[in-house]
Amino acid sequence: MKPTADVHGEATTLDKRVTSLDDAILAMAETREFGKHTKLRRLLEALRRVLLQPGGAAAVQARAQALEEAGLFLGTDWASPEILIPALVGAGLHSGDADTVVMEATSELRMLAIARGDFTHPTFPAEDARQFLSQVLAMNVELLFTAPSEAERVQRGRTARLVRELFRHLAEEIGYDSVLDDLVDEIWRILRQRPIQVEAAQSLITRIAVYRDDPDIDLGASSGQGIDRLITSLFGTTEACREDPGIDVFRSRLEAMDTGGLQYEATGFARAMHDTGLVSPYHAELLRYLLRESDYLLAEALGLSDTGRNCLLRYSQLVHRLIEVAIHPQTAQSVYGLALLLDRGILYEPPVVPSLWRQLALELSPVARERLTTVFGAEPGPQARLVAGVLSMLGQPLGVGQGDNPTCQSARALSMWSYNDPDYLLQMVVWAARDDEVLMHFEGQPISSRDSGAGVASTLPMDLDPVSLLVVPHLDRIYAEMGRRCATRPGDPHRWVNPEFHGWWAAREFHINVDVATGNLVDLDEFLRQFHASYHPSYNGEQPLIHPQPAGVAVTDSAARYVGWHAISILRVVPDPQDVMRVYFFNPNNDSGQDWGDGVVVSTAGNGERFGEASLPFDQFASRLYIFHTDPLERGEPERVPAEDVARIIGYIERSWGNDRLPGGTLQAHEGPTAPEA
């Protein structure tokens, strides 16, 4: 297949480069498997030279089957398209390594060839390939509609143009309609988890709104069904801000309204906020205006339940002050946190109200001020940003995320304290923000974050919410110090660290199914029976879980291969709407919806999950569990667990992360695991 020639003679250049590519493909195809790597450099260079030419993407697409059969992807994850993850494609295309960019681009063109029916792949059907590409385009939509930035041009040179030409070709072949539909679906999937940090979703919605209004971009008449709800939740939520007039104009319109008009605005904003989990800057301005009106209208604007209304009326002075200090158009998202905080009823816990008054009057340390200003800007000030962050965390304890940082233990602790012990969380915030020091105790001995060594994170986390931004670095150092104090003890240090780090409610009996010294699985039958007896209602006397419990899972990829250890919290174990027993848990990794392979797909909506929860059927969850805590005085009935249930779970383990960790006649781990993060 040869591209159409143009008057500038570019096809002639392309023809020459395609001829060289065909020769490189043939050379690799004729080489035996053990020697194919010797032909890889020539083939990658030929691919790069073709892809840099106009029409090059189409030329590579036409040779996708030949490239695959020649062995280009041999020995890499790209060799198995069924395990590839759309969310990881962007990182490959933005890699500083030109070879990685070429491999990723060629893989996408192979997907396109499969989707278009150019050839039939043995493990990946055409419809799956089309869906994969739609998701890739949706997640990297800026590559479709924006030119490379100056920094991109300087750092990546012609490769930046290569990637955009690739995306233009993919979109023209797949169609813009499906791209926007998948993008909208992805935004809704994330928002249903109700994260505290929604900047990425807001940015995508803003860009889509801009693209839709651009006459030079045709997105298709039916594309993005459901995007209107998202756009209006930010920019045109009610009649007074329908055309996105700006805050000053909106304020003048509010001043001209009677009570009926204000109530119409209030209910419209509240409905959109609770529908999407997003808050318009106009909503924040409305709340500030309503401070001089009535608490009834404030309650309407927040969409409060009876519990929330009672809290507002009982602690009206405090709520008014929180709005004055923390709620601004720039911190609008904290309106949702305030509404959920009131609906939780935690103001009725005696220490919470005085703790919030203390927070409002807190003098921040210079370090805290600098960090908050550096990350979030100078308007509003750092005090307002921090109080807004406190409202979000207290209202959305399951919306805490660890960002792109190895600090899942600290994020889990913040979530657990907000969920279970909010005044303790507020004390942590005071120490970190005022004193630039957090003091905890380990087995009666004090540990100061100021005196502790390095934490798990090698760099200072920056991509976090305001509370996490200040508190996590301190918790990370303390967590690491607790681990160092257990270094000489036999077994896993989390036996001692978890209860001391998280609080008294973390049960003291500890179960682990991995031998830390060898990495082998141990005592699987006993481990799984005890997990049933501690958490499954059928074997623990139907005892519901009282407090969230720290646990550790072995995360696997979509091919069920071991990825790493991860810290989570078990929240509850109950039947779902289909009467399937499920474990509902908190995962701090920003997006809980993951495919862990072998049919183990983590659900975040549709199976009885509350906002922020992830869930799996009990057996599937147990198959990825490697650490849990129990009350030593509550033994349950492990002997009643059917052997076939245990065997089924062990089957999941053998087919995934445990397949090379099984002792006693089977393959063992080649290396012992690193210190598990649970």
Side-chain angles (χ1 to χ4, degrees):
M1 170 182 175
K2 299 209 174 168
T4 303
D6 65 25
V7 296
H8 299 294
E10 285 159 332
T12 303
T13 302
L14 180 59
D15 283 344
K16 292 177 181 177
R17 294 188 176 185
V18 164
T19 299
S20 297
L21 173 60
D22 288 336
D23 291 343
I25 294 172
L26 182 62
M28 178 173 277
E30 292 177 344
T31 302
R32 293 189 178 183
E33 185 172 322
F34 65 83
K36 288 186 183 294
H37 68 280
T38 63
K39 308 297 181 182
L40 184 60
R41 167 53 43 212
R42 177 186 174 188
L43 182 53
L44 286 173
E45 183 59 25
L47 280 166
R48 187 185 68 83
R49 289 167 59 81
V50 169
L51 287 169
L52 285 171
Q53 289 296 309
V60 173
Q61 177 191 341
R63 290 158 177 79
Q65 183 172 5
L67 285 162
E68 168 136 330
E69 292 174 351
L72 171 64
F73 302 114
L74 199 65
T76 71
D77 283 352
W78 288 297
S80 304
E82 68 276 7
I83 72 169
L84 298 178
I85 300 173
L88 300 182
V89 170
L93 293 173
H94 286 93
S95 171
D97 179 41
D99 290 347
T100 300
V101 175
V102 169
M103 287 287 281
E104 193 67 72
T106 306
S107 176
E108 306 323 307
L109 291 166
R110 173 190 55 176
M111 290 288 193
L112 180 58
I114 297 170
R116 300 283 294 172
D118 296 348
F119 80 100
T120 301
H121 197 279
T123 64
F124 207 61
E127 186 54 40
D128 288 356
R130 174 174 288 274
Q131 178 70 14
F132 181 93
L133 288 175
S134 293
Q135 292 179 19
V136 168
L137 290 167
M139 293 174 182
N140 299 276
V141 68
E142 72 281 356
L143 295 176
L144 277 177
F145 303 128
T146 62
S149 65
E150 185 61 28
E152 211 175 344
R153 284 192 291 270
V154 171
Q155 293 170 5
R156 302 179 59 216
R158 299 175 68 192
T159 304
R161 193 183 76 185
L162 179 159
V163 172
R164 278 164 174 77
E165 286 297 313
L166 167 71
F167 268 66
R168 181 193 57 76
H169 180 72
L170 294 175
E172 288 175 353
E173 294 289 317
I174 292 295
Y176 285 93
D177 286 18
S178 63
V179 173
L180 264 294
D181 286 340
D182 278 344
L183 177 55
V184 172
D185 289 345
E186 179 67 12
I187 293 171
W188 276 109
R189 187 186 69 80
I190 295 295
L191 291 179
R192 288 189 188 101
Q193 300 177 52
R194 293 299 192 265
I196 290 175
Q197 295 176 276
V198 295
E199 291 82 4
Q202 290 172 331
S203 176
L204 284 173
I205 294 166
T206 302
R207 280 182 282 172
I208 294 171
V210 171
Y211 302 149
R212 288 214 315 182
D213 291 339
D214 189 333
D216 296 330
I217 297 175
D218 180 15
L219 299 181
S222 63
S223 66
Q225 301 296 320
I227 189 60
D228 286 334
R229 283 162 63 198
L230 295 172
I231 293 175
T232 56
S233 72
L234 293 177
F235 303 115
T237 316
T238 62
E239 196 61 38
C241 62
R242 185 68 62 199
E243 77 281 25
D244 192 17
I247 295 296
D248 292 339
V249 173
F250 175 70
R251 178 85 178 197
S252 67
R253 291 175 180 176
L254 293 180
E255 291 170 349
M257 287 183 186
D258 59 14
T259 301
L262 290 173
Q263 180 165 354
Y264 182 79
E265 291 290 306
T267 55
F269 278 116
R271 187 182 307 114
M273 176 178 71
H274 288 287
D275 175 36
T276 63
L278 296 173
V279 185
S280 167
Y282 296 110
H283 194 168
E285 188 63 25
L286 173 67
L287 240 61
R288 295 184 66 83
Y289 180 80
L290 292 178
L291 287 175
R292 70 186 195 186
E293 294 292 329
S294 71
D295 284 348
Y296 169 78
L297 287 177
L298 269 182
E300 289 292 297
L302 291 168
L304 298 179
S305 65
D306 287 344
T307 299
R309 288 175 185 270
N310 290 336
C311 273
L312 170 59
L313 294 174
R314 173 66 180 82
Y315 299 105
S316 176
Q317 186 181 1
L318 173 62
V319 175
H320 280 230
R321 186 60 184 149
L322 289 169
I323 294 172
E324 290 170 358
V325 171
I327 305 299
H328 302 271
Q330 301 94 327
T331 59
Q333 196 58 35
S334 59
V335 174
Y336 188 52
L338 175 61
L340 298 183
L341 181 161
L342 293 170
D343 275 352
R344 290 183 67 197
I346 61 174
L347 296 187
Y348 288 119
E349 297 183 23
V352 173
V353 168
S355 294
L356 286 171
W357 279 116
R358 176 182 59 180
Q359 185 68 48
L360 287 165
L362 194 67
E363 183 67 31
L364 304 187
S365 71
V367 172
R369 287 181 172 277
E370 181 183 0
R371 292 210 73 201
L372 289 167
T373 303
T374 299
V375 173
F376 297 107
E379 291 295 331
Q383 169 73 342
R385 287 285 183 182
L386 182 56
V387 176
V390 166
L391 296 181
S392 292
M393 189 165 287
L394 289 178
Q396 300 170 260
L398 302 184
V400 181
Q402 69 188 77
D404 188 18
N405 309 289
T407 52
C408 49
Q409 303 87 357
S410 298
R412 175 177 66 182
L414 290 175
S415 170
M416 195 178 290
W417 297 333
S418 174
Y419 187 96
N420 190 56
D421 199 358
D423 56 295
Y424 184 67
L425 171 67
L426 290 168
Q427 180 64 61
M428 285 285 174
V429 175
V430 167
W431 283 333
R434 182 192 64 197
D435 308 322
D436 194 29
E437 179 182 23
V438 168
L439 186 67
M440 299 179 74
H441 286 76
F442 181 74
E443 298 178 344
Q445 299 300 311
I447 296 180
S448 166
S449 61
R450 185 176 295 169
D451 300 332
S452 298
V456 178
S458 57
T459 59
L460 206 57
M462 302 295 279
D463 54 339
L464 301 173
D465 65 88
V467 170
S468 299
L469 185 72
L470 297 187
V471 181
V472 162
H474 296 278
L475 295 181
D476 186 39
R477 291 195 292 271
I478 289 174
Y479 167 83
E481 178 61 28
M482 288 183 177
R484 285 190 284 268
R485 295 191 182 190
C486 298
T488 59
R489 302 180 186 182
D492 191 280
H494 297 94
R495 176 187 302 274
W496 304 279
V497 172
N498 279 345
E500 297 284 338
F501 188 66
H502 293 94
W504 68 264
W505 49 83
R508 292 282 167 167
E509 185 164 305
F510 179 81
H511 296 269
I512 183 170
N513 60 13
V514 175
D515 177 70
V516 175
T518 65
N520 289 340
L521 287 162
V522 292
D523 302 324
L524 265 186
D525 185 88
E526 179 185 349
F527 177 89
L528 293 172
R529 287 182 178 278
Q530 193 55 57
F531 180 63
H532 279 77
S534 300
Y535 288 90
H536 197 298
S538 298
Y539 308 105
N540 73 354
E542 298 189 2
Q543 170 67 54
L545 192 59
I546 308 300
H547 301 104
Q549 290 297 313
V553 292
V555 175
T556 51
D557 64 15
S558 58
R561 298 173 301 189
Y562 171 75
V563 173
W565 312 113
H566 189 55
I568 61 154
S569 301
I570 301 175
L571 301 174
R572 57 196 181 101
V573 181
V574 294
D576 67 14
Q578 290 75 43
D579 208 33
V580 174
M581 191 63 67
R582 297 183 81 88
V583 179
Y584 296 87
F585 59 97
F586 167 70
N587 187 341
N589 78 336
N590 310 303
D591 178 10
S592 301
Q594 298 168 347
D595 183 351
W596 287 348
D598 195 26
V600 180
V601 180
V602 181
S603 170
T604 57
N607 288 293
E609 294 89 358
R610 299 166 184 164
F611 289 142
E613 289 182 332
S615 80
L616 281 170
F618 193 93
D619 287 4
Q620 292 187 357
F621 179 84
S623 75
R624 297 302 190 267
L625 185 71
Y626 84 98
I627 277 177
F628 67 93
H629 290 258
T630 63
D631 187 330
L633 301 180
E634 297 177 357
R635 298 298 301 168
E637 299 177 290
E639 67 281 353
R640 288 189 52 240
V641 180
E644 56 268 28
D645 289 2
V646 174
R648 183 169 58 252
I649 298 170
I650 290 177
Y652 275 112
I653 296 172
E654 290 175 338
R655 294 190 299 272
S656 60
W657 67 282
N659 69 350
D660 61 351
R661 297 175 179 268
L662 297 170
T666 59
L667 292 175
Q668 296 184 355
H670 300 297
E671 297 179 4
T674 56
E677 296 182 355

